[in-house]
Amino acid sequence: MSHCLVIDDSKLIRTIHCRMLAQLGLTVSEAENGEDALGVCSGRMPDLILVDWNMPVMDGFTFLKTLRAMPAGSAPKVVLCTIESDLEHISRALAEGADEYIMKPFDVEILATKLIAAGIALSPRPQRPDPLADGR
């Protein structure tokens, strides 16, 4: 995996998610909504897509259905991001073609776990230095 597309109508959320994905060794691009994201996918199909559920213009479900109908649209791994926690929404996401879902808010460790569960290989991250390792 090398290229990830982050789709969210919030610039702040896109920035946070892009930083996390960059920490995990991925190259990242972004789109403000599903319609803009389809344009990105038409130009260069990403390996991974992190898409918000609720967005104006085109929501995550409509994007996902449209993506999966595109030539090569079955190739990217898609992780649907949501604040919805009920089983019906999660089941619908998976039925529509999402490979995984993730509950907002999340941190980089949770994101890494979800990406690995979706079958996405991540670059090893540098280990944090152990402040107690030098014996102080």
Side-chain angles (χ1 to χ4, degrees), residues 76-90:
K77 297 289 185 173
V78 177
V79 178
L80 195 67
C81 302
T82 182
I83 59 170
E84 305 289 340
S85 61
D86 64 88
L87 185 58
E88 179 183 331
H89 284 98
I90 293 165

Side-chain angles (χ1 to χ4, degrees), residues 4-9 13-14 17 21 31-35 37 48-55 58-65 67-68 77-83 93 97-102 104 106 111 115:
C4 179
L5 175 61
V6 174
I7 312 165
D8 199 293
D9 57 314
I13 296 299
R14 286 195 314 271
H17 292 173
L21 290 159
E32 188 174 342
N33 59 58
E35 187 175 283
L48 166 66
I49 300 172
L50 199 64
V51 60
D52 185 27
W53 178 308
N54 294 313
M55 295 178 290
M58 181 184 286
D59 65 23
F61 281 121
T62 305
F63 165 79
L64 183 57
K65 288 174 74 171
L67 171 76
R68 293 305 193 206
K77 297 289 185 173
V78 177
V79 178
L80 195 67
C81 302
T82 182
I83 59 170
D99 295 285
E100 192 59 73
Y101 69 92
I102 191 167
K104 289 182 182 179
F106 52 85
L111 179 58
L115 296 182

Side-chain angles (χ1 to χ4, degrees), residues 1 20-21 23-26 48 108-109 111-117 119-125:
M1 292 290 143
M20 284 191 254
L21 290 159
Q23 277 184 283
L24 297 173
L26 299 167
L48 166 66
V108 71
E109 286 79 20
L111 179 58
T113 300
K114 284 291 187 173
L115 296 182
I116 291 166
I120 297 160
L122 300 175
S123 299
R125 292 187 314 222

